[in-house]
């Protein structure tokens, strides 16, 4: 069989987490419409069955990464470090480019280019006024900033010595006659091993992408058990589901200034079997979870709590439903909000959010408790 690590890179909101979830068939990473949703490296494992005369069996270990952008805070620098670490151990790299976003910005910034001449059948683009007006300078600045960020992305892959695939995402939002000139523009920036347009939402191009990845992977054994689809502990996935609801329920600066830490996670006892055959199954067991939501200012705390606690209740209710689906149990979820001023610039605090560091501290704490019990 074949096996290997596939790093997924792209600008914020390029569709990296959506693609990985679609490929693995599991909700491995949270997904929202807000940029910079992903903050850590997240692994999703795909078992590929053998297809005679097509490809051997394979295990693909996808590594989703934070959106690539120039760092402006300690949190941003940590996220970029996650990208570099993903690139340090990889067999294939997927560079994702949001085709619909690229079309919109090029159309807004270059009224006379080939994208305008093509008939773009996308509502977001067709509604743009492509004539020069008083806002043209602002559009030009926006396009220039976007181009600079994209160049920053491409600078990360130019020294790689492994196959790099260009994956154009969200192609269901763009007319086919627009893709060819877009591909031509992007291929001038790097000699890609493969160029594959996909739509994760409609699953277009995903089978082809998997076949090409398997062909590029080395021969090897499984890295993870066959039935494991991620390496993330449940505690981290629960924290991410809570943060997902914060991203959905709040706006402005609040989602980016919020962090979630699980303080208590009491796993449910397995349900007792029914006493007699034919009796209804026992009620689902209960998992008790307590989590802290950190923010940077009192004003953000007020928004997260809401009038009479209404907003925090909405966040908790939405998160609890997702967590119950993940765990397969009933969930009692307790949330409270803590102000940690300017935490995004605090390296120790940012490091403490990494679930790997949290597990080390948890193991150390449990070890100390066990030693104290034995001494007693």
């Amino acid at each position: 069989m074949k096996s290997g690590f596939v790093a997924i890179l792209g600008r914020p909101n390029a569709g990296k987490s959506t693609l990985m979830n679609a490929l693995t068939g599991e909700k491995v990473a949270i997904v929202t419409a807000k940029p910079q949703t992903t903050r850590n490296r997240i692994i999703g494992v795909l078992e590929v069955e053998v297809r005679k005369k097509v490809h051997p069996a394979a295990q693909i270990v996808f590594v989703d990464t934070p959106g690539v952008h120039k760092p402006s805070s300690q949190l941003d620098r940590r996220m970029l470090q996650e990208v570099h670490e993903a690139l340090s151990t990889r067999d294939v790299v997927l560079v994702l480019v949001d085709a619909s976003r690229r079309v919109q910005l090029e159309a807004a910034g270059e009224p006379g280019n080939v994208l305008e001449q093509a008939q773009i059948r996308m509502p977001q683009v067709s509604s743009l006024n492509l004539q020069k007006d008083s806002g043209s300078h602002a559009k030009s600045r926006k396009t220039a900033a976007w181009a600079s960020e994209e160049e920053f992305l491409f600078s990360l892959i130019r020294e790689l010595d492994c196959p790099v695939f260009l994956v154009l995402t969200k192609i269901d939002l763009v007319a086919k006659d627009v893709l060819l000139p877009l591909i031509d523009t992007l291929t001038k920036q790097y000699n890609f091993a493969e160029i594959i347009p996909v739509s994760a939402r409609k699953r277009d191009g995903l089978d082809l992408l998997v076949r090409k990845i398997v062909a590029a992977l080395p021969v090897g054994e499984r890295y993870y058990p066959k039935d494991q689809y991620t390496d993330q502990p449940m505690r981290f996935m629960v924290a991410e589901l809570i943060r997902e609801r914060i991203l959905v329920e709040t706006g402005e600066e609040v989602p980016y200034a919020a962090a979630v830490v699980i303080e208590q996670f009491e796993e449910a006892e397995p349900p007792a079997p029914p006493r007699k055959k034919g009796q209804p199954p026992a009620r689902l067991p209960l998992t008790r979870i307590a989590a802290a939501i950190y923010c940077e200012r009192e004003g953000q705390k007020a928004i997260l709590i809401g009038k009479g606690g209404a907003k925090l209740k909405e966040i908790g209710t939405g998160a609890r439903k997702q967590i119950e689906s993940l765990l397969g149990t009933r969930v009692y979820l307790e949330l409270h909000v803590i102000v940690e001023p300017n935490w995004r610039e605090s390296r120790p605090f940012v490091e403490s959010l990494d679930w790997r560091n949290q597990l080390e501290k948890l193991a150390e704490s449990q070890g100390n408790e066990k030693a104290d019990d034995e001494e007693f």
Side-chain angles (χ1 to χ4, degrees):
M1 67 178 299
K2 290 189 166 189
S3 63
F5 288 80
V6 178
I8 305 176
L9 265 66
R11 294 289 317 287
N13 261 16
K16 299 179 295 299
S17 297
T18 300
L19 177 64
M20 187 171 73
N21 290 347
L23 288 167
T24 61
E26 301 284 352
K27 186 171 181 176
V28 181
I30 63 173
V31 176
T32 75
K34 291 184 172 69
Q36 300 177 37
T37 295
T38 301
R39 288 177 176 172
N40 299 275
R41 277 172 295 140
I42 297 176
I43 282 180
V45 183
L46 173 63
E47 282 288 324
V48 182
E49 299 296 331
V50 61
R51 292 182 62 183
K52 289 184 178 180
K53 299 182 180 180
V54 179
H55 58 67
Q59 184 181 78
I60 305 174
V61 183
F62 292 104
V63 185
D64 186 18
T65 62
V68 174
H69 62 288
K70 292 180 180 179
S72 60
S73 68
Q74 185 61 45
L75 176 62
D76 289 344
R77 286 187 282 275
R78 174 66 186 177
M79 290 161 66
L80 185 58
Q81 181 184 337
E82 294 282 286
V83 173
H84 284 294
E85 290 180 5
L87 288 176
S88 67
T89 54
R90 76 289 172 271
D91 299 285
V92 176
V93 171
L94 307 182
V95 175
L96 271 58
V97 173
D98 178 351
S100 66
R101 178 67 171 159
R102 177 90 189 209
V103 167
Q104 287 184 59
L105 288 170
E106 288 201 1
E110 302 175 22
N113 67 12
V114 67
L115 298 175
E116 182 193 9
Q117 296 166 18
Q119 292 184 350
I120 303 172
R121 298 185 296 275
M122 188 171 69
Q124 299 99 308
V125 175
S126 60
S127 64
L128 288 171
N129 177 8
L130 300 182
Q131 301 300 317
K132 291 184 178 180
D133 55 23
S134 58
S136 62
H137 293 297
K139 289 179 180 178
S140 297
R141 286 196 300 271
K142 184 177 180 181
T143 305
W146 168 77
S148 174
E149 291 283 358
E150 188 168 84
E151 171 57 29
F152 182 60
L153 166 64
F154 278 89
S155 70
L156 296 176
I157 64 171
R158 290 204 173 101
E159 302 302 320
L160 295 178
D161 57 357
C162 67
V164 179
F165 294 5
L166 172 64
V167 180
L168 286 170
T169 61
K170 308 180 188 180
I171 61 168
D172 53 310
L173 300 177
V174 180
K176 290 182 179 179
D177 53 359
V178 175
L179 287 177
L180 287 178
L182 179 55
I183 289 171
D184 182 61
T185 299
L186 291 169
T187 51
K188 291 176 181 177
Q189 300 190 50
Y190 188 85
N191 184 24
F192 294 100
E194 299 286 348
I195 301 168
I196 305 174
V198 303
S199 168
R201 186 169 66 90
K202 294 191 173 183
R203 302 196 62 81
D204 290 344
L206 298 191
D207 289 342
L208 174 61
L209 178 59
V210 169
R211 290 202 305 271
K212 294 294 186 181
I213 290 172
V214 173
L217 290 180
V219 174
E221 300 298 320
R222 288 185 179 88
Y223 290 92
Y224 294 93
K226 194 172 182 178
D227 59 350
Q228 185 173 344
Y229 65 87
T230 185
D231 68 337
Q232 301 171 80
M234 285 298 175
R235 294 173 71 101
F236 174 77
M237 297 183 76
V238 165
E240 285 290 271
L241 289 174
I242 297 169
R243 192 166 66 84
E244 181 181 53
R245 293 315 305 174
I246 295 170
L247 285 158
V248 170
E249 297 285 351
T250 61
E252 301 300 328
E253 176 68 11
V254 175
Y256 306 107
V260 178
V261 175
I262 302 299
E263 297 181 325
Q264 179 185 8
F265 191 99
E266 293 183 7
E267 295 187 20
E269 295 291 333
R275 294 180 180 178
K276 294 182 180 180
K277 190 176 180 180
Q279 283 187 339
R283 192 180 184 190
L284 285 174
L286 178 69
T287 303
R288 295 181 179 275
I289 300 170
I293 300 172
Y294 288 88
C295 60
E296 293 186 322
R297 298 196 301 271
E298 288 293 338
Q300 295 165 352
K301 179 178 180 179
I303 292 171
L304 284 164
I305 294 175
K307 187 176 181 179
K311 180 57 67 176
L312 194 62
K313 184 177 180 180
E314 286 179 13
I315 292 169
T317 300
R320 180 175 53 77
K321 292 177 181 177
Q322 292 288 323
I323 297 167
E324 287 179 338
S325 178
L326 172 69
L327 301 180
T329 71
R330 292 177 297 128
V331 169
Y332 175 80
L333 179 62
E334 180 182 337
L335 301 177
H336 64 281
V337 183
I338 300 173
V339 176
E340 181 71 25
N342 207 29
W343 69 259
R344 282 177 290 182
E345 291 296 347
S346 168
R347 184 171 181 176
F349 189 89
V350 170
E351 293 286 343
S352 73
L353 297 177
D354 188 317
W355 64 262
R356 300 167 186 86
N357 294 334
Q358 290 180 23
L359 281 186
E360 288 179 6
K361 289 184 178 180
L362 184 63
E364 182 181 342
S365 173
Q366 291 174 343
N368 291 337
E369 288 178 4
K370 184 177 179 182
D372 290 342
D373 290 342
E374 289 175 352
E375 184 179 344
F376 179 78

